Amino acid sequence: MTRVRLDLFTSLDGYTPADPTPDNPMGEDWGRLTAAYAATRTFHEYVFGDTSGKGTTGVDDRYAVAFFEGVGTEIMGAGMFGLHTFPGDADWKGWWGDTPPFGTPVYVLSHTAPRPSIHMEGGTTFHFRSAAIEDVLAEATEAAGGLDVRIGGGYSTARDFLRAGLVDDLHLMVTPIFLGRGHRLWDDLRGFELTHEVTTEVAESGQIHVTLTR
Amino acid sequence: MTRVRLDLFTSLDGYTPADPTPDNPMGEDWGRLTAAYAATRTFHEYVFGDTSGKGTTGVDDRYAVAFFEGVGTEIMGAGMFGLHTFPGDADWKGWWGDTPPFGTPVYVLSHTAPRPSIHMEGGTTFHFRSAAIEDVLAEATEAAGGLDVRIGGGYSTARDFLRAGLVDDLHLMVTPIFLGRGHRLWDDLRGFELTHEVTTEVAESGQIHVTLTR
C-alpha cells in the first residue's frame, strides 16, 4: 500500500532556510541544519557515492537508511529542481550531476513551458508536470507500483502537500539550533498531532527525530 | 557557585500558553503541555503531597527531581503569583495553599504598592520587590547561600531574564504537540546555542528535554 512520505529539516525554533542563492542553492543555514544527516554513512554512500564505510552508523543513519528505502517515485517543486534559479536554461538537468541519488521517476512540478522528460543515469527520470498536486500525486502513486511516493521538497511544495492533508508519514529532523530566520514551518503543522501519531527520539548527535504517522 | 536556572514548557511549535483566566490560571493548553511532567512521581510528591510512590519514574522524573534540588531562592513575576488576577486582594497568598512547594524565599516582582513579606508553612517566604531584575537577582543570589536561584516564571519574567542574558541553565521541556497559539517562546532564544551548550534527550513519554548550559 503506497504511502506519501515527507522528510523535513527544521531548527528547534521551526525554521527551514529561505536564503538560497545560485552559488549556494540551499542557503548558508542549510549546512548547520543538516550536518548530522550529512555525516551519516548512508548519506556518504548514496549522495557522495562514497562506499568506503565512512560516516556515522547510529540513530541518524537508521533514519537515513529508511529515507532511501521503499520509495517508488518522488515529487519535487520547480525550485528544488533548479528551474527558478536557471529559468532560461533548457538544458538544465538539476543539481545532482549525471547520476542523481533518486533512482526512480521524479515528477517536477512546474508551471513554465512544458519540457520533455529527462532520463538520467542510475534510474532517475525527471518528468515535468503542471497539473494540480492531487493529479500529479495520482500519477506518481500509479507509477510507484505499491512502493511509496516521497515528497522531496522544497519548502513550498512540502507546505502544499501538508496543507492539503496528503502526507501520511512525516519525518521531522529537528536540529537543536535556533536559526531565527527562514520559512516558518511550524505554522503549517498546527493540529498535525490530532490526525497523526507522534514519536520522538534523539540521536547520538543530539538531532531530534519526530515522526508523525497517519 | 550559584547558577541561575530556568525551566520552561513549550509545544513543538514553540508556544507557551497565553490564555489564563481566573478560573483556570494556567490556561486550557497548559494541561496538555505539562501532562508528562505532572505524571511524575516527584511532581505527585512535591506538588500534590502524595507520598504513596504513585507516578512515573523514568527520564521525566529524573528532570523533575533535578527541578526541586539545589534551589536556594526563587524569583517569579507578579502574574505567576496571582497579583494580576486578584489585584485588589491584600490577603492573596498565591495559588499554592498554606504550604507552597517552594520551601525557600521567593521574590515576587511587582510594581504595585509594596506588600509585607508573607511567611508560609514549609519554609516558603514571599517577598515583594519592585527593583530592577538585576538587583532582585543580586539579592536572591545572596540569600541563596551558594545554592541556585530559580526563575520560576511566568512567561514575561522568563523572557526578561533570557533577554538580559542572566540565565545560566535553561531546561526546555518540549511537548510533541502543536499548540498554534500563545507566547512565541522561540523568538526569545535566537542564538542561545552560541553561548550555551545544548543537550537533547527524549523521555519514555515522548517529551523532549533540551538543556542549554553556559
Side-chain angles (χ1 to χ4, degrees):
Chain A
M1 178 68 184
T2 296
R3 293 181 68 83
V4 179
R5 292 158 43 172
L6 174 57
D7 297 73
L8 289 171
F9 289 97
T10 169
S11 59
L12 197 53
D13 52 344
Y15 286 103
T16 191
D19 62 338
T21 63
D23 285 348
N24 192 351
M26 305 310 291
E28 63 181 60
D29 287 336
W30 192 252
R32 295 177 67 206
L33 201 59
T34 60
Y37 180 62
T40 61
R41 185 170 67 180
T42 296
F43 188 88
H44 274 263
E45 181 178 339
Y46 280 76
V47 181
F48 298 151
D50 171 4
T51 55
S52 70
K54 215 175 108 181
T56 64
T57 58
V59 171
D60 289 327
D61 194 56
R62 174 155 50 75
Y63 283 96
V65 169
F67 178 82
F68 287 102
E69 268 180 359
V71 175
T73 55
E74 174 144 347
I75 298 172
M76 68 171 62
M80 180 170 169
F81 183 74
L83 294 182
H84 297 166
T85 313
F86 303 104
D89 184 350
D91 292 328
W92 176 254
K93 295 178 179 178
W95 311 99
W96 302 276
D98 291 334
T99 311
F102 308 105
T104 68
V106 175
Y107 295 85
V108 180
L109 302 167
S110 167
H111 292 291
T112 56
R115 294 182 177 225
S117 297
I118 309 173
H119 297 275
M120 307 292 290
E121 289 172 35
T124 298
T125 303
F126 293 114
H127 301 293
F128 301 88
R129 295 289 184 265
S130 60
I133 59 171
E134 289 82 358
D135 295 335
V136 178
L137 179 57
E139 183 181 359
T141 300
E142 178 71 26
L147 295 176
D148 291 345
V149 177
R150 183 166 62 198
I151 312 304
Y155 167 70
S156 66
T157 299
R159 162 181 239 176
D160 288 344
F161 279 86
L162 288 168
R163 295 204 161 182
L166 296 173
V167 176
D168 299 312
D169 295 292
L170 176 61
H171 170 216
L172 297 172
M173 284 171 277
V174 184
T175 305
I177 60 176
F178 300 90
L179 284 181
R181 65 177 186 177
H183 298 296
R184 294 172 42 79
L185 181 61
W186 296 143
D187 289 352
D188 301 317
L189 298 177
R190 287 186 187 166
F192 222 81
E193 83 278 11
L194 303 178
T195 52
H196 291 62
E197 194 139 337
V198 187
T199 74
T200 51
E201 183 175 13
V202 165
E204 298 81 352
S205 63
Q207 182 99 3
I208 302 162
H209 294 270
V210 179
T211 68
L212 294 113
T213 306
R214 175 139 57 193
Chain B
M1 178 72 184
T2 295
R3 293 182 67 84
V4 180
R5 292 159 41 172
L6 174 57
D7 298 73
L8 289 172
F9 289 98
T10 169
S11 59
L12 196 54
D13 51 344
Y15 285 103
T16 190
D19 61 339
T21 63
D23 284 347
N24 191 352
M26 303 312 288
E28 63 181 59
D29 287 336
W30 192 253
R32 295 176 67 205
L33 202 59
T34 60
Y37 180 62
T40 62
R41 184 169 69 180
T42 297
F43 188 89
H44 274 264
E45 181 177 338
Y46 280 76
V47 181
F48 298 151
D50 171 3
T51 55
S52 70
K54 213 176 106 179
T56 64
T57 57
V59 171
D60 288 327
D61 194 57
R62 173 154 52 74
Y63 283 96
V65 168
F67 178 83
F68 287 102
E69 269 180 358
V71 175
T73 54
E74 174 144 348
I75 298 172
M76 69 173 62
M80 181 171 167
F81 183 74
L83 294 181
H84 296 167
T85 313
F86 304 105
D89 183 351
D91 292 329
W92 176 252
K93 296 178 179 175
W95 309 99
W96 302 275
D98 291 335
T99 312
F102 309 105
T104 68
V106 175
Y107 296 85
V108 180
L109 302 168
S110 167
H111 294 291
T112 56
R115 296 182 174 224
S117 296
I118 308 173
H119 297 276
M120 307 294 290
E121 291 174 33
T124 299
T125 303
F126 293 113
H127 301 293
F128 301 87
R129 296 289 184 266
S130 60
I133 59 171
E134 290 82 358
D135 295 335
V136 178
L137 179 57
E139 182 181 359
T141 300
E142 177 71 26
L147 295 177
D148 291 345
V149 177
R150 183 168 61 200
I151 312 304
Y155 167 71
S156 67
T157 299
R159 162 180 238 175
D160 288 346
F161 279 85
L162 287 168
R163 295 204 161 182
L166 297 172
V167 176
D168 298 312
D169 295 292
L170 176 61
H171 171 216
L172 297 172
M173 285 171 276
V174 184
T175 305
I177 59 177
F178 300 89
L179 284 181
R181 64 177 188 179
H183 298 295
R184 294 173 43 81
L185 181 61
W186 296 143
D187 289 350
D188 301 317
L189 299 177
R190 288 186 188 167
F192 222 81
E193 83 278 10
L194 303 177
T195 53
H196 290 63
E197 193 136 341
V198 186
T199 74
T200 50
E201 183 175 13
V202 165
E204 298 82 350
S205 64
Q207 182 98 2
I208 301 162
H209 295 270
V210 179
T211 71
L212 294 113
T213 307
R214 176 141 57 197

